[in-house]
Structure formats: structure tokens, C-alpha cells
Amino acid sequence: MRQYSRIATFLLVFIFLFSGLIKLNDPIGTQLKLEEYFDVFSQDFPAMEGFWKFWIPLALPLSILLSSMEIVLGIALWANYRTKQVLWTFLGLLGFFGFLTFYSAYFNKVTDCGCFGETIKLTPWTSFFKDVFLFVLAVSLLFTDKIKSFNKNLSPVLISALVSVSLGIYCFFYLPIHDGLPYAIGDNIPQNMKSREALRFSYVYKIHGKEETLTEMPTDTQAIFVSMQALNEKEARPLITDYRIWVENDTIDYTAASFTGKKLMVIIPNVHHAHLDALKQIAVLANEASKKGIQVWLLSASSDEEVNAIRHEYQLNFPAMSVDTKVLKTIIRSSPGLWLINQGTVRGKWSAYHLPSIEDIDQRLITTD
């Protein structure tokens, strides 16, 4: 039992630390996932619509809090701090996550639970069974000698809480430390829009009265085709499938144009949820960039009227285009945010709270040419 206790503890601690760190690296990504859950529940449970909508504005602090709890619980369990209480808290958190993942899987509502952020994609059923496995581990530890030996040293727990919350806040203001999305610095957008490998298919044919599954077209002229299925659809799918830039009533292909020359994109998914004060500094920076031959575009999913209003208010003397909200939030976890690309390759990203100088932009273009 002692050996089992060690293994079970290690698995719980490792998975919770890994999950918490990944989500704290991208707290806005977790925020968006929580907002998606709350929105789904508000529609599916109309009697509690007000309750679920109440939590939507609180999704960001909840994102950092829940992710930090995973870290703190993992450290507390590893340090044997009040083991019984910690395990019961584990069970409560796993019960909450298990409900979310089961609901997603059974009703096909949220197809990616975000358990491991954008780093590792899990299907809802995989996520649910992962939660069940961890729940069983936590329950089993309640019946081992581990809960009889614990210490009351609170220091590791307090330190882990402080570090976790600080990490989440830092990544909110300064962007994720590790960018696992297909618009990261160094990525070539046109390349990420292509299939990663050729599709392979399996074919079902009826040959001499029997159905056979083949990996190549049969040579038997009497074979009767039944069906076909892609074997590597997920592996072949492009990393980017929905990137598109447009202007209403304009025939120019702005998507293709974004891959030519040097572009500094000012990204504002929604003008009502943006740190607009940063636009004062961005307006100055945009004028300096234009003088150096860098085209500046404003990309937003808000209406033309809303976008033109802030362009006039902050004297943004550069064109505005439309892009889907989800794409913009995937490109950069900041609003506004700056996205620098050169010939389709990403050269820099900056949040509204850590804007670059024109020298920083020049340096990114020079050192990566």
C-alpha cells in the first residue's frame, strides 16, 4: 500500500501541476473556455440563465484562481500538508471538472474542454475518463496510511499560491511565455494554412460477394465500391483553417495581401472589451512605422461604425479590416495587441500593456530577415 500510495500521489501531483502550469501560461485561453461553458449552460438551463451569465464577467479571475488551485493542491499533497482535507478538495475540484467534461461529451456542446490549454487537445470523452481516473486515485488515497501522516507547515502552500497567481497575472499582461498556437513568432502563416501531409484513404469493396478493406484501389474489375474513409484526416488538416481578412464591398484579396511585405497589425477583437488607452501610444508608433515602409492595418470583429468611432477618437490613420473574433483571439491574447509579420512569417507580438518602440520593431525585422 505504501508503494501504491507513492505512485498514486505522484500521478495526481504531476497531472495537476502540469495542467495548472499550462493553463496559467495562457489565462485568457482558459477564460474563453470558461465563458463558452457558462454561455452554453445559460442556454441549456434557461431557469438559471441569470446565474450562469453572472459568472461570464468573472471568467478571467476564475481562470487564474482555478488554475492556481491545481498547482496549490498538487504542492500541498506532495508536501503532505493536511492530506485528508487536501484530498477532499481534490475530489470537489475533480467532481466539478468531471461534470463539465461529461456534459460536453454527452451533449456534444464544448468539443475541447481546455484541460491542458492549447498544448494538448483532448476529446471530451477522453477528458471525462481522465477525471474519473484521477477521482478514483484520490478516493483510494483516503484509505491509505498517507492521510495519517501529515504536517502543518503552510509555507510550501503559500509560496505555491503566490507564484501561481503571479504567473497567471504576468501572462495576462505580457502574453503567454510559451505560445503553442499556430500564429506564434517564427511561424509562417501561408505554410500553416496548407495540409501537413497527403490524405490517405481506406476503401471498402465487395469482391466476390465479400466486403474487404483495402488501402489501395482494387485491380479487380468486378469489385463493387462500398465506402471510403480518410485514415489521417486529423494529421493532414492544416493548422490554420479560418484565417481570412476582408473589407465589405471590396474585391481585393486582403488575406493574400497580408502575406506580402512588412505588416504591423493592430488587433482589437471587440472594441467594448479592449484597453483602449493603449491606442494613444499605438497611434504614434503606427505613424513611425509607416515612415519606415511598414504597412499598418487595424483588424477587428466589431462593426464598421464602432471601429470608425475609435479610429476618429484616437486618430488612427491606417485602414481597418474585418476578421473573425475567434481568429483574432487566437492570434494574440491581448486587446489591443500588435502582431508583426514579414512576408507571411510572424516576427513579433506585443500586448497592450507592453508595447514596443519603433527600434524594437526594426530589430525584430533585421535579426530575422
Side-chain angles (χ1 to χ4, degrees):
M1 288 300 295
R2 185 177 300 174
Q3 186 67 16
Y4 171 81
S5 175
R6 290 174 179 172
I7 295 173
T9 299
F10 172 79
L11 288 173
L12 275 171
V13 170
F14 175 78
I15 293 175
F16 264 68
L17 289 180
F18 182 66
S19 173
L21 284 172
I22 285 179
K23 284 185 276 197
L24 285 172
N25 173 70
D26 184 12
I28 293 182
T30 307
Q31 171 197 359
L32 296 174
K33 192 59 61 177
L34 287 173
E35 289 176 350
E36 188 177 355
Y37 274 116
F38 296 147
D39 184 59
V40 165
F41 292 152
S42 69
Q43 296 177 37
D44 290 2
F45 302 99
M48 300 178 64
E49 181 181 3
F51 172 79
W52 294 114
K53 287 193 172 180
F54 168 81
W55 293 104
I56 291 178
L58 302 175
L60 178 60
L62 275 175
S63 163
I64 296 176
L65 176 62
L66 290 173
S67 303
S68 297
M69 277 185 66
E70 294 188 58
I71 302 292
V72 172
L73 288 174
I75 295 297
L77 185 62
W78 189 256
N80 284 335
Y81 175 78
R82 297 189 178 276
T83 311
K84 187 174 183 179
Q85 292 89 334
V86 167
L87 285 172
W88 278 111
T89 309
F90 259 113
L91 292 176
L93 199 59
L94 286 168
F96 172 71
F97 289 149
F99 165 73
L100 294 182
T101 54
F102 175 79
Y103 193 87
S104 298
Y106 190 80
F107 295 101
N108 194 32
K109 291 292 183 177
V110 182
T111 55
D112 172 26
C113 71
C115 301
F116 295 118
E118 297 288 345
T119 302
I120 300 176
K121 297 284 189 178
L122 298 180
T123 65
W125 278 121
T126 302
S127 301
F128 172 69
F129 288 120
K130 180 262 297 179
D131 291 334
V132 170
F133 172 70
L134 295 178
F135 191 92
V136 172
L137 283 183
V139 169
S140 67
L141 283 174
L142 284 170
F143 298 95
T144 66
D145 291 337
K146 184 175 180 64
I147 66 171
K148 298 178 183 178
S149 58
F150 64 87
N151 66 65
K152 297 182 180 180
N153 183 8
L154 190 58
S155 298
V157 177
L158 290 177
I159 292 172
S160 64
L162 178 62
V163 171
S164 299
V165 172
S166 298
L167 175 62
I169 293 173
Y170 176 88
C171 291
F172 168 74
F173 283 106
Y174 294 95
L175 301 183
I177 296 171
H178 170 71
D179 191 344
L181 298 170
Y183 298 92
I185 295 174
D187 279 357
N188 183 270
I189 307 306
Q191 185 63 38
N192 284 350
M193 294 172 68
K194 297 178 181 177
S195 297
R196 288 176 285 171
E197 58 183 66
L199 279 171
R200 292 180 285 105
F201 297 91
S202 65
Y203 307 91
V204 177
Y205 274 83
K206 184 176 285 188
I207 303 175
H208 304 301
K210 294 183 180 180
E211 289 191 357
E212 296 186 22
T213 302
L214 310 171
T215 56
E216 295 181 355
M217 302 287 284
T219 56
D220 190 336
T221 57
Q222 301 300 313
I224 302 174
F225 175 79
V226 177
S227 64
M228 63 185 292
Q229 181 179 359
L231 298 174
N232 62 334
E233 184 178 1
K234 183 178 179 180
E235 293 78 9
R237 187 184 302 127
L239 293 173
I240 297 174
T241 59
D242 49 4
Y243 176 82
R244 189 171 80 88
I245 303 176
W246 74 91
V247 174
E248 291 296 337
N249 303 317
D250 199 325
T251 58
I252 297 175
D253 186 351
Y254 288 99
T255 303
S258 69
F259 304 142
T260 61
K262 302 171 183 178
K263 301 284 192 304
L264 181 64
M265 309 293 198
V266 181
I267 294 177
I268 308 176
N270 187 323
V271 299
H272 298 295
H273 299 92
H275 179 53
L276 295 179
D277 283 347
L279 291 177
K280 298 174 184 176
Q281 184 178 343
I282 289 175
V284 176
L285 182 63
N287 288 332
E288 295 175 335
S290 297
K291 293 176 182 177
K292 290 180 172 289
I294 302 171
Q295 285 187 307
V296 183
W297 291 0
L298 191 156
L299 306 183
S300 179
S302 293
S303 67
D304 290 344
E305 293 77 10
E306 292 170 326
V307 171
N308 287 331
I310 64 167
R311 289 175 68 199
H312 176 74
E313 180 178 354
Y314 293 96
Q315 298 297 299
L316 305 179
N317 300 316
F318 44 87
M321 289 89 173
S322 296
V323 180
D324 180 74
T325 306
K326 184 178 178 180
V327 173
L328 294 176
K329 290 180 178 180
T330 304
I331 290 175
I332 192 167
R333 302 301 204 197
S334 179
S335 181
L338 294 183
W339 189 46
L340 179 67
I341 59 177
N342 186 11
Q343 301 297 336
T345 298
V346 182
R347 298 308 191 189
K349 283 185 177 186
W350 296 272
S351 80
Y353 303 95
H354 188 232
L355 295 170
S357 64
I358 190 62
E359 289 76 22
D360 294 330
I361 292 175
D362 277 340
Q363 189 63 32
R364 290 293 183 95
L365 292 171
I366 292 171
T367 56
T368 53
D369 275 343

